[in-house]
Amino acid sequence: MKHIVTINLKCKIKANQAWDQIRDFSTPHKYISFIQNTIVLGQPSGGVGSTRRVFTKYNYMDETITNWEEGSSFTVKLHRNKQAPFPFSAATFRYQIRSINKKDCELIGIFTYELLFGIIGIILNHLFLGIIIRFNIRRVIMGLKMYLNQSIII
């Protein structure tokens, strides 16, 4: 069963300025608190097929761009050794920017996932995994908002 978590936040930055920051595929460790470092694997460092490796304190995961819409969004497939990270059978994350007006935009994070273990995975998702996942996706988008707001000041 496919699950979707969407988090939207308003950001006081022009959409094109936000895109200029977000499109840099090498920077998630600057706005995701639980990521310590990022390495772009191979070339190019943006666009469909680009892959980055993100490191947490104890592990790493690869993210490969599967969809790129210049100026507005990109989607990454989360994997390690060609398999989705545990406990997922599939997982993608979409970074999206939508203009609200001339000086504000909306940051949208869409995490789409399927869990292992069939009905047991569905039950675990309803009991607690869904809450944990939603919390972490919100952390990503809130961190991105803070990062973008700081980039305007600098």
Side-chain angles (χ1 to χ4, degrees):
M1 178 179 189
K2 186 181 283 190
H3 304 275
I4 300 172
V5 174
T6 302
I7 301 295
N8 305 42
L9 286 178
K10 182 179 177 182
C11 190
K12 295 188 175 292
I13 182 175
K14 294 178 184 177
N16 64 334
Q17 290 176 310
W19 176 253
D20 288 343
Q21 297 296 317
I22 258 182
R23 71 186 319 266
D24 183 350
F25 199 50
S26 67
T27 61
H29 60 280
K30 294 181 180 180
Y31 55 86
I32 302 174
S33 61
F34 50 88
I35 293 179
Q36 295 188 329
N37 196 15
T38 306
I39 297 173
V40 175
L41 305 173
Q43 294 292 334
S45 62
V48 173
S50 297
T51 300
R52 67 184 174 198
R53 181 163 289 163
V54 294
F55 296 88
T56 63
K57 189 172 183 178
Y58 302 107
N59 214 339
Y60 75 88
M61 179 175 48
D62 293 337
E63 299 179 344
T64 300
I65 297 176
T66 58
N67 186 15
W68 183 275
E69 295 178 29
E70 185 64 36
S72 66
S73 70
F74 65 89
T75 302
V76 294
K77 175 183 173 184
L78 286 66
H79 59 96
R80 183 171 178 188
N81 300 327
K82 305 294 183 196
Q83 293 183 341
F86 184 80
F88 307 107
S89 60
T92 63
F93 190 88
R94 180 177 184 87
Y95 293 87
Q96 187 173 353
I97 299 169
R98 184 179 303 144
S99 181
I100 297 174
N101 55 44
K102 291 181 180 179
K103 57 185 177 177
D104 300 319
C105 70
E106 182 178 33
L107 305 175
I108 305 165
I110 304 169
F111 185 61
T112 305
Y113 64 99
E114 294 178 35
L115 291 166
L116 298 169
F117 313 120
I119 190 72
I120 295 170
I122 293 169
I123 293 168
L124 293 174
N125 189 65
H126 286 292
L127 290 176
F128 66 92
L129 280 177
I131 295 166
I132 294 168
I133 290 167
R134 183 168 197 77
F135 174 78
N136 281 318
I137 300 309
R138 184 161 179 78
R139 282 174 61 194
V140 169
I141 298 303
M142 289 177 70
L144 180 58
K145 178 181 177 176
M146 289 174 44
Y147 173 70
L148 293 173
N149 285 337
Q150 289 173 353
S151 71
I152 291 299
I153 295 168
I154 295 174

